[in-house]
Amino acid sequence: MRKAIFTCLTLMLTTMAEAQPTDFFKPYQQTALRMPAVPLIVNDPYFSIWSPYDTLTDGTTRHWTDQEKPLDGFLQVDGITYQWMGARSGQSTIARQKSVSVLATSTYYTFVCGPMELDIVFTAPMLIDDYDLLSAPVNYISYQVRATDGQPHNVELSVMVSTLLAKADANQPTRTELGSQQGIGYGRIGTIEQPILAKKGDLISIDWGYLYLPAVNGTVSIDSRQQSLCYVHAFGTTRQAASFMMLGYDEVQDMEYMFHRYQAYWTHNGTVSIFQLFRRMQAEYQQVMRRCRQLDQRIYDDALQAGGAHYAEMLSGVYRHVIAAHKLFEDQDGNLLFFSKENNSNGCVNTVDLTYPEAPLFLCYNPALQKAMMTSIFDYSYSGRWTKPFAAHDLGTYPIANGQVYGGDMPVEEAGNMLILAAELCRQDGSTSYVDKYWNIISTWADYLAENGQDPAEQLCTDDFAGHWAHNANLAVKAVMGVAAYAMMAQQKGLTAVADKYMEKARQMAHHWEEQAADGDHYRLAFDRPDTWSQKYNMVWDKLWGTHLFSDKVMQREMSYYLKQQNRYGLPLDCRKDYTKNDWILWTAAMAKDQKTFLRFAEPVYQYMNETSSRVPTSDWYDTKTAQMVAFRARSVVGGFWMRVLMNKNSLTS
């Protein structure tokens, strides 16, 4: 960028212009799916920056809440400045975006800037089996320039970082400064106030902690007019060269859980600083990028095998979306905890009916993270702080997790969710060791389901968008599977009589369900409501586990009927409205008898993502005729997209 544009205070560091392997700039697979919003810099519910546009220069980069969080990128070639990221600025020429591909950990862009092509890769190194990297609030931006005319050119890359990234309100005063600690030179931005963990709620961004722009491989300066940070890498005269920069956010303190404040996992209880983290990620850049590429390949290939190329693109596109709705830490007893934020639906922390729909991703690739979402809910009851005979709904409002705040209980919903997921974890472990400590609690929950779940009274459930009805048939399916889940765990514990008793109860409940829900060629939304229907996605466990509680005709009838109810952008949630939940569609689709039938359900979801005018991190609640979101964005429930992969993995190992 032309230096005349800025009056800068400049921090110089030794430039490490080491050329990087060019395969880092080529996606494992090119993707055609036009994401509703493209992940750029993501780590957790606060450090989350997206581009809701087809091209990166169509507008300002944004937080998932739609708050502006501007990042601007420029490439100067032989004195001509080309803008490749952000809303148009000054007199610069707009670079032509040539391509974009979104894979699990990385987003790949290529731009034409006169006689040079610029490759940009945004990487969130969220390796699902590496907790340091999964939780590390640092992203890479890799960049490569290539001459298309075979001639050398004088090239300089710059990235501008706005103070808005470190505040929740545009009017909050901030301090922008340069410094050096532990061998890392940096620029940083933070509010003057620094109200650590003082704000909780839904559609908010952070206003404590510090945004860091380390001066590795380039220089960092302060724009004296806007108090923003500017990173510059001067390549000099070159035909081809590559390097990388980093962007990080240190929240200082990340969660309050049961009245104790915690830092994120990567700090190891405060023994690792953000500067040490930058050092490590600088030194291990090539290794980390290779591992990210391996995960991109694994996510893509598993989905490709289970459901084809479009399914692979969908799952690749939402992986970072799911992970970035969480915070990973350890409590004072050494328990690994992985807390979700219920983005754009009430801001609750660790909501059980988010833990349930998002589970397939974690059950596929790291069940320990699934346990890390559930342990605190079990402990809430174990401690005596929660005494009701069913599971709690949540633990508070993010980032404060001191106990349930939701105004109403979901008795069958949450008890069923916890029992089903616990049984799947024990099935995968081949042991009940995870739940042994909580056996009395889950026994109480199982009894609640056995007594109250066969024909649920009017109560809240996760799908009450059009109102909650008594005698909810899908909720009753959850109760059936919850009782069966308890029986499966009892069998693993060697409690044969208990197992037989509860499995027989589950069979009786299922038989009663078939009689009461039957409505000709399908099954009802509620037992007392003829000429109604709904998705019975909770039945997927009967197929996954091979428990055969429901007769074969039930699933066959339902799936055939659903195909007749589909609209252009998917299967409605039930008969009352045209809207749907795409996480549940893909749970339902996983019950399909073959891949061809699965794709008849999955393909409309792909088209929704590809065509929706709602440019937000993929909404899970939208209209199946218009493809417009009803509400909900950036929610972790799209981890449910992996249900077919989970089913496929189970069939390969069983």
Side-chain angles (χ1 to χ4, degrees), residues 30-235:
Q30 289 188 328
T31 61
L33 175 60
R34 185 231 62 181
M35 294 295 294
V38 179
L40 301 178
I41 305 291
V42 291
N43 175 256
D44 65 22
Y46 289 135
F47 195 35
S48 183
I49 304 172
W50 303 71
S51 174
Y53 306 106
D54 290 345
T55 60
L56 199 48
T57 53
D58 280 350
T60 305
T61 56
R62 296 174 177 271
H63 189 256
W64 67 261
T65 60
D66 204 38
Q67 297 176 14
E68 292 189 353
K69 303 291 182 183
L71 297 174
D72 295 289
F74 304 88
L75 190 73
Q76 186 183 88
V77 182
D78 297 333
I80 299 175
T81 300
Y82 298 87
Q83 184 169 3
W84 53 268
M85 176 168 60
R88 184 167 187 145
S89 174
Q91 302 301 311
S92 57
T93 300
I94 299 299
R96 177 170 65 86
Q97 183 174 306
K98 188 176 179 180
S99 64
V100 57
S101 289
V102 181
L103 292 176
T105 67
S106 297
T107 298
Y108 297 80
Y109 283 98
T110 296
F111 303 93
V112 177
C113 304
M116 301 294 291
E117 285 195 349
L118 170 66
D119 300 313
I120 296 287
V121 184
F122 295 92
T123 301
M126 294 172 164
L127 300 178
I128 200 163
D129 58 352
D130 186 323
Y131 299 146
D132 282 328
L133 287 173
L134 186 75
S135 63
V138 174
N139 280 203
Y140 295 119
I141 304 177
S142 305
Y143 46 89
Q144 175 177 246
V145 293
R146 297 175 286 111
T148 56
D149 61 1
Q151 300 300 312
H153 297 275
N154 190 273
V155 184
E156 179 180 283
L157 177 134
S158 60
V159 174
M160 301 289 295
V161 180
S162 169
T163 59
L164 289 174
L165 271 69
K167 52 187 177 181
D169 187 294
N171 296 318
Q172 286 180 285
T174 56
R175 178 181 292 113
T176 304
E177 56 192 346
L178 304 176
S180 179
Q181 289 194 44
Q182 300 179 28
I184 290 288
Y186 62 85
R188 79 173 187 179
I189 304 168
T191 60
I192 303 296
E193 182 186 5
Q194 286 297 305
I196 296 174
L197 290 173
K199 292 184 175 67
K200 59 182 180 180
D202 189 1
L203 295 169
I204 61 173
S205 56
I206 197 166
D207 61 357
W208 71 85
Y210 298 93
L211 185 286
Y212 284 90
L213 181 59
V216 295
N217 302 333
T219 65
V220 171
S221 58
I222 299 175
D223 180 332
S224 61
R225 292 180 302 167
Q226 300 179 12
Q227 291 296 292
S228 58
L229 293 173
C230 178
Y231 173 91
V232 175
H233 183 118
F235 286 103

Side-chain angles (χ1 to χ4, degrees), residues 11 25 35 53 103 230 234 344 392 397 400 405 410 439 455 459 467 481 486 513 566 600 611 645 651:
L11 173 71
F25 297 94
M35 294 295 294
Y53 306 106
L103 292 176
C230 178
N344 200 203
T397 302
I400 308 300
V405 294
M410 296 186 178
W439 190 253
D455 187 3
Q459 60 180 265
M481 298 315 303
Y486 180 72
W513 188 96
Q566 289 204 109
R600 294 179 68 183
E611 299 176 16
V645 178
S651 66

